[in-house]
Amino acid sequence: MGEVQDARDVKKTVVAPAVKSFEHYDFPRAKICCSLTWLVAKAYGTESIPADLKDPFYTDQYEQEHLKPPLASLLLSADLYCRAGSMVLSSDADHPLLGHDAVVQALAQRGLYVTDQERLVTERDLRKRPLQMSAHMAMIDTLMMAYTVEMVSVEKVMACICQYSYRDPEVETPYDTEDAVNTWINKVNDPRSPTKWYMKLVPARYRKEQSSTQMVPWIPPVDNLLKDSTDGSALGALLHFYCPQLLPLDDVCLKENMTLADRLYNLQLIQDFCKDNLNGCCHFSLEDMLYASSTIK
């Protein structure tokens, strides 16, 4: 049995994809790529993205990278924003969003303002040629925030947690959406959680009451959603909790001291899981998740 476990560990630490080094990772490009990929997916649906929009960039004969003209045109015309905004903001089909300003106003009605360096973004900014990319990134960021608030509100997260675990409202009520997500992940992954939670997360052979030489798996707590997710341990354990048959805990590399290969293994595992089971919802590259720059937050 020990030999089988050792073989599994070897697999997890040796097999790793090639990634760009930190020095060669283009942070601004990564932000643009992730943002545009998300916007296109929300505008068309993951399964219906036009072939020429699946990758935001193309490379010319001089090996220079550029934004694809069809995508640039759709940003300037507001088509992508109206499509994505209608889905994210659940706008009335009888009153569709038409134009940049309509999307900006719909966001403002929810208390979300599109700002670029503390200045309100206008339709004129979004229609400028060449593209004023910072204005478009601000627009997409605000749409993302609207989507996040709708899908992962503090109330929804706490209601989910309360299904399995007792909480003290005066101590554990999160102060914003990001803190709510951190609390959710930590409650799922905390082996000190109540029995019903713990028994579902931790296989029998890992439980402390079992007379076994196996240790309780190391699942680090999440304090900073970006930085503490770069090894994939907490996210992998979270996915296992909800889908134990699709992602056994044994498949997640859980170590207190993770090598680069271990981290890449977990991150690729998460990517593949999202592609196969969550409608391709992960729009990050391995480098994006590994380096977790605040620019892509």
Short mmCIF file of all heavy atoms in Angstrom, two decimals, residues 30-77:
data_model
loop_
_atom_site.label_atom_id
_atom_site.label_comp_id
_atom_site.label_asym_id
_atom_site.label_seq_id
_atom_site.Cartn_x
_atom_site.Cartn_y
_atom_site.Cartn_z
N ALA A 30 -2.10 39.63 -19.66
CA ALA A 30 -2.89 38.61 -18.98
C ALA A 30 -4.23 39.19 -18.52
O ALA A 30 -5.28 38.54 -18.64
CB ALA A 30 -2.11 38.05 -17.79
N LYS A 31 -4.19 40.39 -17.99
CA LYS A 31 -5.41 41.06 -17.54
C LYS A 31 -6.38 41.25 -18.70
O LYS A 31 -7.58 40.95 -18.60
CB LYS A 31 -5.05 42.41 -16.92
CG LYS A 31 -6.22 43.37 -16.74
CD LYS A 31 -7.14 42.95 -15.63
CE LYS A 31 -8.19 44.02 -15.37
NZ LYS A 31 -9.12 43.63 -14.29
N ILE A 32 -5.87 41.74 -19.82
CA ILE A 32 -6.71 41.97 -20.99
C ILE A 32 -7.28 40.66 -21.52
O ILE A 32 -8.47 40.55 -21.83
CB ILE A 32 -5.91 42.71 -22.09
CG1 ILE A 32 -5.53 44.11 -21.62
CG2 ILE A 32 -6.70 42.78 -23.39
CD1 ILE A 32 -4.55 44.83 -22.53
N CYS A 33 -6.43 39.65 -21.61
CA CYS A 33 -6.85 38.36 -22.16
C CYS A 33 -7.94 37.72 -21.30
O CYS A 33 -8.97 37.27 -21.82
CB CYS A 33 -5.64 37.43 -22.27
SG CYS A 33 -6.00 35.88 -23.12
N CYS A 34 -7.73 37.67 -19.99
CA CYS A 34 -8.73 37.08 -19.09
C CYS A 34 -10.05 37.84 -19.16
O CYS A 34 -11.13 37.24 -19.22
CB CYS A 34 -8.23 37.10 -17.65
SG CYS A 34 -6.87 35.99 -17.30
N SER A 35 -9.96 39.16 -19.16
CA SER A 35 -11.16 39.99 -19.15
C SER A 35 -11.98 39.81 -20.43
O SER A 35 -13.20 39.64 -20.39
CB SER A 35 -10.78 41.46 -18.98
OG SER A 35 -10.11 41.67 -17.76
N LEU A 36 -11.29 39.85 -21.57
CA LEU A 36 -12.00 39.72 -22.84
C LEU A 36 -12.56 38.32 -23.03
O LEU A 36 -13.67 38.15 -23.56
CB LEU A 36 -11.06 40.08 -23.99
CG LEU A 36 -10.63 41.55 -24.06
CD1 LEU A 36 -9.63 41.75 -25.20
CD2 LEU A 36 -11.84 42.47 -24.24
N THR A 37 -11.82 37.32 -22.58
CA THR A 37 -12.31 35.94 -22.69
C THR A 37 -13.58 35.76 -21.87
O THR A 37 -14.54 35.12 -22.30
CB THR A 37 -11.23 34.95 -22.23
OG1 THR A 37 -10.05 35.13 -23.02
CG2 THR A 37 -11.70 33.51 -22.39
N TRP A 38 -13.58 36.32 -20.67
CA TRP A 38 -14.77 36.26 -19.81
C TRP A 38 -15.95 36.98 -20.46
O TRP A 38 -17.07 36.46 -20.50
CB TRP A 38 -14.47 36.88 -18.45
CG TRP A 38 -15.64 36.90 -17.52
CD1 TRP A 38 -16.04 35.91 -16.66
CD2 TRP A 38 -16.61 37.97 -17.36
NE1 TRP A 38 -17.18 36.29 -15.98
CE2 TRP A 38 -17.54 37.54 -16.39
CE3 TRP A 38 -16.75 39.22 -17.95
CZ2 TRP A 38 -18.61 38.34 -16.00
CZ3 TRP A 38 -17.82 40.02 -17.55
CH2 TRP A 38 -18.74 39.57 -16.59
N LEU A 39 -15.70 38.17 -20.99
CA LEU A 39 -16.76 38.96 -21.61
C LEU A 39 -17.39 38.23 -22.79
O LEU A 39 -18.62 38.16 -22.91
CB LEU A 39 -16.21 40.31 -22.07
CG LEU A 39 -17.21 41.26 -22.73
CD1 LEU A 39 -18.26 41.72 -21.73
CD2 LEU A 39 -16.48 42.47 -23.34
N VAL A 40 -16.56 37.67 -23.65
CA VAL A 40 -17.06 36.94 -24.82
C VAL A 40 -17.87 35.72 -24.38
O VAL A 40 -18.93 35.42 -24.96
CB VAL A 40 -15.89 36.53 -25.73
CG1 VAL A 40 -16.36 35.56 -26.81
CG2 VAL A 40 -15.26 37.76 -26.37
N ALA A 41 -17.39 35.01 -23.36
CA ALA A 41 -18.11 33.83 -22.87
C ALA A 41 -19.48 34.20 -22.32
O ALA A 41 -20.47 33.49 -22.54
CB ALA A 41 -17.29 33.13 -21.80
N LYS A 42 -19.56 35.32 -21.62
CA LYS A 42 -20.85 35.75 -21.07
C LYS A 42 -21.76 36.29 -22.18
O LYS A 42 -22.98 36.17 -22.10
CB LYS A 42 -20.63 36.83 -20.01
CG LYS A 42 -20.02 36.29 -18.73
CD LYS A 42 -20.99 35.33 -18.05
CE LYS A 42 -20.37 34.60 -16.88
NZ LYS A 42 -19.48 33.50 -17.29
N ALA A 43 -21.17 36.87 -23.21
CA ALA A 43 -21.97 37.44 -24.30
C ALA A 43 -22.61 36.35 -25.17
O ALA A 43 -23.77 36.48 -25.58
CB ALA A 43 -21.10 38.35 -25.16
N TYR A 44 -21.87 35.28 -25.44
CA TYR A 44 -22.35 34.27 -26.37
C TYR A 44 -22.69 32.94 -25.71
O TYR A 44 -23.40 32.12 -26.31
CB TYR A 44 -21.29 34.01 -27.45
CG TYR A 44 -21.09 35.17 -28.40
CD1 TYR A 44 -20.02 36.05 -28.23
CD2 TYR A 44 -21.96 35.40 -29.46
CE1 TYR A 44 -19.83 37.12 -29.09
CE2 TYR A 44 -21.78 36.46 -30.33
CZ TYR A 44 -20.71 37.33 -30.13
OH TYR A 44 -20.53 38.39 -30.99
N GLY A 45 -22.18 32.71 -24.51
CA GLY A 45 -22.29 31.39 -23.92
C GLY A 45 -21.08 30.57 -24.33
O GLY A 45 -20.64 30.64 -25.48
N THR A 46 -20.53 29.81 -23.40
CA THR A 46 -19.28 29.09 -23.65
C THR A 46 -19.35 28.18 -24.88
O THR A 46 -18.37 28.05 -25.62
CB THR A 46 -18.91 28.24 -22.42
OG1 THR A 46 -18.88 29.09 -21.26
CG2 THR A 46 -17.54 27.60 -22.58
N GLU A 47 -20.49 27.57 -25.11
CA GLU A 47 -20.62 26.61 -26.20
C GLU A 47 -20.87 27.28 -27.55
O GLU A 47 -20.83 26.61 -28.59
CB GLU A 47 -21.76 25.63 -25.90
CG GLU A 47 -21.60 24.84 -24.61
CD GLU A 47 -20.38 23.94 -24.64
OE1 GLU A 47 -20.04 23.45 -25.74
OE2 GLU A 47 -19.77 23.73 -23.58
N SER A 48 -21.13 28.58 -27.57
CA SER A 48 -21.53 29.23 -28.82
C SER A 48 -20.62 30.38 -29.23
O SER A 48 -21.01 31.25 -30.01
CB SER A 48 -22.97 29.76 -28.68
OG SER A 48 -23.85 28.72 -28.32
N ILE A 49 -19.40 30.40 -28.72
CA ILE A 49 -18.47 31.48 -29.05
C ILE A 49 -18.03 31.33 -30.51
O ILE A 49 -17.57 30.26 -30.92
CB ILE A 49 -17.24 31.44 -28.13
CG1 ILE A 49 -17.66 31.67 -26.67
CG2 ILE A 49 -16.21 32.48 -28.55
CD1 ILE A 49 -16.52 31.51 -25.68
N PRO A 50 -18.14 32.39 -31.32
CA PRO A 50 -17.66 32.32 -32.70
C PRO A 50 -16.18 31.96 -32.74
O PRO A 50 -15.40 32.38 -31.87
CB PRO A 50 -17.90 33.75 -33.22
CG PRO A 50 -19.01 34.28 -32.36
CD PRO A 50 -18.79 33.69 -31.01
N ALA A 51 -15.79 31.20 -33.74
CA ALA A 51 -14.42 30.70 -33.82
C ALA A 51 -13.38 31.81 -33.78
O ALA A 51 -12.33 31.68 -33.15
CB ALA A 51 -14.25 29.86 -35.08
N ASP A 52 -13.67 32.94 -34.44
CA ASP A 52 -12.67 34.01 -34.52
C ASP A 52 -12.60 34.85 -33.25
O ASP A 52 -11.80 35.79 -33.16
CB ASP A 52 -12.93 34.91 -35.73
CG ASP A 52 -14.30 35.58 -35.68
OD1 ASP A 52 -15.15 35.11 -34.90
OD2 ASP A 52 -14.51 36.57 -36.42
N LEU A 53 -13.43 34.52 -32.24
CA LEU A 53 -13.40 35.27 -30.98
C LEU A 53 -12.91 34.43 -29.81
O LEU A 53 -12.84 34.91 -28.68
CB LEU A 53 -14.80 35.81 -30.65
CG LEU A 53 -15.41 36.80 -31.65
CD1 LEU A 53 -16.79 37.24 -31.16
CD2 LEU A 53 -14.51 38.01 -31.86
N LYS A 54 -12.56 33.18 -30.06
CA LYS A 54 -12.15 32.30 -28.96
C LYS A 54 -10.81 32.72 -28.36
O LYS A 54 -10.54 32.47 -27.19
CB LYS A 54 -12.09 30.85 -29.44
CG LYS A 54 -13.48 30.27 -29.69
CD LYS A 54 -13.44 28.80 -30.03
CE LYS A 54 -14.86 28.25 -30.18
NZ LYS A 54 -14.87 26.81 -30.51
N ASP A 55 -9.96 33.34 -29.16
CA ASP A 55 -8.71 33.89 -28.66
C ASP A 55 -8.71 35.37 -29.00
O ASP A 55 -8.90 35.74 -30.16
CB ASP A 55 -7.51 33.20 -29.31
CG ASP A 55 -6.19 33.60 -28.68
OD1 ASP A 55 -6.10 34.73 -28.16
OD2 ASP A 55 -5.25 32.79 -28.70
N PRO A 56 -8.51 36.25 -28.02
CA PRO A 56 -8.60 37.69 -28.29
C PRO A 56 -7.50 38.23 -29.20
O PRO A 56 -7.69 39.28 -29.82
CB PRO A 56 -8.49 38.33 -26.89
CG PRO A 56 -8.79 37.23 -25.93
CD PRO A 56 -8.32 35.98 -26.59
N PHE A 57 -6.38 37.53 -29.29
CA PHE A 57 -5.22 38.07 -30.00
C PHE A 57 -4.84 37.25 -31.23
O PHE A 57 -5.17 36.07 -31.33
CB PHE A 57 -4.02 38.14 -29.06
CG PHE A 57 -4.23 38.98 -27.84
CD1 PHE A 57 -4.49 38.39 -26.60
CD2 PHE A 57 -4.18 40.36 -27.91
CE1 PHE A 57 -4.70 39.17 -25.47
CE2 PHE A 57 -4.38 41.15 -26.79
CZ PHE A 57 -4.64 40.55 -25.57
N TYR A 58 -4.15 37.91 -32.14
CA TYR A 58 -3.51 37.21 -33.25
C TYR A 58 -2.08 37.74 -33.37
O TYR A 58 -1.75 38.83 -32.88
CB TYR A 58 -4.27 37.43 -34.56
CG TYR A 58 -4.07 38.79 -35.18
CD1 TYR A 58 -3.11 39.00 -36.18
CD2 TYR A 58 -4.84 39.89 -34.79
CE1 TYR A 58 -2.92 40.25 -36.75
CE2 TYR A 58 -4.67 41.14 -35.35
CZ TYR A 58 -3.70 41.32 -36.34
OH TYR A 58 -3.51 42.56 -36.89
N THR A 59 -1.22 36.95 -34.01
CA THR A 59 0.18 37.33 -34.18
C THR A 59 0.46 37.59 -35.65
O THR A 59 0.12 36.75 -36.51
CB THR A 59 1.11 36.21 -33.67
OG1 THR A 59 0.80 35.93 -32.30
CG2 THR A 59 2.57 36.62 -33.78
N ASP A 60 1.05 38.74 -35.95
CA ASP A 60 1.31 39.09 -37.35
C ASP A 60 2.62 38.46 -37.85
O ASP A 60 3.29 37.72 -37.12
CB ASP A 60 1.30 40.61 -37.55
CG ASP A 60 2.45 41.30 -36.81
OD1 ASP A 60 3.44 40.63 -36.44
OD2 ASP A 60 2.35 42.54 -36.60
N GLN A 61 2.98 38.80 -39.08
CA GLN A 61 4.17 38.20 -39.70
C GLN A 61 5.47 38.60 -39.02
O GLN A 61 6.51 37.97 -39.21
CB GLN A 61 4.23 38.61 -41.18
CG GLN A 61 4.27 40.12 -41.39
CD GLN A 61 4.24 40.50 -42.86
OE1 GLN A 61 4.74 39.75 -43.69
NE2 GLN A 61 3.65 41.63 -43.18
N TYR A 62 5.40 39.67 -38.23
CA TYR A 62 6.60 40.13 -37.51
C TYR A 62 6.61 39.65 -36.05
O TYR A 62 7.35 40.17 -35.23
CB TYR A 62 6.68 41.65 -37.55
CG TYR A 62 6.68 42.21 -38.95
CD1 TYR A 62 5.56 42.86 -39.46
CD2 TYR A 62 7.79 42.05 -39.79
CE1 TYR A 62 5.54 43.36 -40.76
CE2 TYR A 62 7.79 42.54 -41.09
CZ TYR A 62 6.66 43.19 -41.57
OH TYR A 62 6.65 43.68 -42.86
N GLU A 63 5.73 38.69 -35.77
CA GLU A 63 5.63 38.11 -34.43
C GLU A 63 5.14 39.12 -33.39
O GLU A 63 5.43 38.99 -32.20
CB GLU A 63 6.97 37.51 -33.97
CG GLU A 63 7.47 36.37 -34.83
CD GLU A 63 6.49 35.19 -34.85
OE1 GLU A 63 5.98 34.83 -33.78
OE2 GLU A 63 6.22 34.66 -35.95
N GLN A 64 4.41 40.12 -33.86
CA GLN A 64 3.82 41.10 -32.96
C GLN A 64 2.36 40.72 -32.69
O GLN A 64 1.64 40.33 -33.60
CB GLN A 64 3.88 42.51 -33.56
CG GLN A 64 5.30 43.02 -33.79
CD GLN A 64 6.06 43.17 -32.49
OE1 GLN A 64 5.58 43.78 -31.54
NE2 GLN A 64 7.26 42.59 -32.44
N GLU A 65 1.94 40.85 -31.45
CA GLU A 65 0.59 40.44 -31.07
C GLU A 65 -0.36 41.63 -31.10
O GLU A 65 -0.01 42.74 -30.67
CB GLU A 65 0.63 39.83 -29.66
CG GLU A 65 -0.56 38.96 -29.34
CD GLU A 65 -0.37 38.20 -28.04
OE1 GLU A 65 -0.10 38.86 -27.01
OE2 GLU A 65 -0.49 36.97 -28.05
N HIS A 66 -1.57 41.40 -31.61
CA HIS A 66 -2.56 42.46 -31.72
C HIS A 66 -3.94 41.92 -31.33
O HIS A 66 -4.21 40.72 -31.45
CB HIS A 66 -2.64 42.99 -33.15
CG HIS A 66 -1.33 43.41 -33.72
ND1 HIS A 66 -0.76 44.65 -33.49
CD2 HIS A 66 -0.44 42.74 -34.51
CE1 HIS A 66 0.40 44.73 -34.12
NE2 HIS A 66 0.62 43.58 -34.74
N LEU A 67 -4.81 42.83 -30.92
CA LEU A 67 -6.20 42.47 -30.67
C LEU A 67 -6.88 42.20 -32.01
O LEU A 67 -6.68 42.94 -32.98
CB LEU A 67 -6.91 43.61 -29.95
CG LEU A 67 -8.33 43.35 -29.44
CD1 LEU A 67 -8.31 42.29 -28.34
CD2 LEU A 67 -8.95 44.65 -28.93
N LYS A 68 -7.66 41.14 -32.08
CA LYS A 68 -8.32 40.80 -33.33
C LYS A 68 -9.31 41.91 -33.74
O LYS A 68 -10.11 42.36 -32.90
CB LYS A 68 -9.06 39.47 -33.20
CG LYS A 68 -8.15 38.26 -33.13
CD LYS A 68 -8.95 36.98 -33.02
CE LYS A 68 -8.04 35.76 -33.03
NZ LYS A 68 -8.80 34.50 -32.86
N PRO A 69 -9.28 42.34 -34.99
CA PRO A 69 -10.18 43.41 -35.45
C PRO A 69 -11.67 43.14 -35.19
O PRO A 69 -12.38 44.07 -34.76
CB PRO A 69 -9.88 43.50 -36.95
CG PRO A 69 -8.45 43.06 -37.06
CD PRO A 69 -8.32 41.96 -36.04
N PRO A 70 -12.18 41.92 -35.41
CA PRO A 70 -13.61 41.70 -35.12
C PRO A 70 -13.96 41.95 -33.65
O PRO A 70 -15.03 42.48 -33.34
CB PRO A 70 -13.82 40.22 -35.49
CG PRO A 70 -12.73 39.91 -36.45
CD PRO A 70 -11.56 40.71 -35.99
N LEU A 71 -13.04 41.58 -32.76
CA LEU A 71 -13.29 41.79 -31.34
C LEU A 71 -13.25 43.28 -31.00
O LEU A 71 -14.09 43.79 -30.24
CB LEU A 71 -12.25 41.03 -30.51
CG LEU A 71 -12.40 41.07 -28.99
CD1 LEU A 71 -13.80 40.65 -28.57
CD2 LEU A 71 -11.36 40.18 -28.33
N ALA A 72 -12.28 43.99 -31.59
CA ALA A 72 -12.20 45.43 -31.36
C ALA A 72 -13.48 46.13 -31.84
O ALA A 72 -14.01 47.03 -31.17
CB ALA A 72 -10.99 46.00 -32.09
N SER A 73 -13.99 45.70 -32.98
CA SER A 73 -15.22 46.30 -33.52
C SER A 73 -16.41 46.06 -32.59
O SER A 73 -17.24 46.95 -32.39
CB SER A 73 -15.52 45.72 -34.90
OG SER A 73 -14.51 46.05 -35.82
N LEU A 74 -16.48 44.87 -32.01
CA LEU A 74 -17.60 44.55 -31.12
C LEU A 74 -17.51 45.33 -29.81
O LEU A 74 -18.53 45.65 -29.20
CB LEU A 74 -17.62 43.05 -30.83
CG LEU A 74 -18.02 42.15 -32.01
CD1 LEU A 74 -17.78 40.69 -31.68
CD2 LEU A 74 -19.47 42.39 -32.39
N LEU A 75 -16.29 45.64 -29.37
CA LEU A 75 -16.13 46.48 -28.19
C LEU A 75 -16.56 47.92 -28.48
O LEU A 75 -17.24 48.56 -27.68
CB LEU A 75 -14.67 46.46 -27.72
CG LEU A 75 -14.14 45.14 -27.15
CD1 LEU A 75 -12.64 45.24 -26.89
CD2 LEU A 75 -14.87 44.78 -25.85
N LEU A 76 -16.18 48.42 -29.64
CA LEU A 76 -16.52 49.79 -30.02
C LEU A 76 -18.01 49.96 -30.26
O LEU A 76 -18.58 51.02 -29.99
CB LEU A 76 -15.74 50.19 -31.28
CG LEU A 76 -14.23 50.39 -31.09
CD1 LEU A 76 -13.53 50.50 -32.44
CD2 LEU A 76 -13.96 51.64 -30.24
N SER A 77 -18.65 48.92 -30.76
CA SER A 77 -20.08 49.01 -31.07
C SER A 77 -20.97 48.73 -29.86
O SER A 77 -22.18 48.90 -29.93
CB SER A 77 -20.44 48.01 -32.18
OG SER A 77 -20.36 46.68 -31.69
#
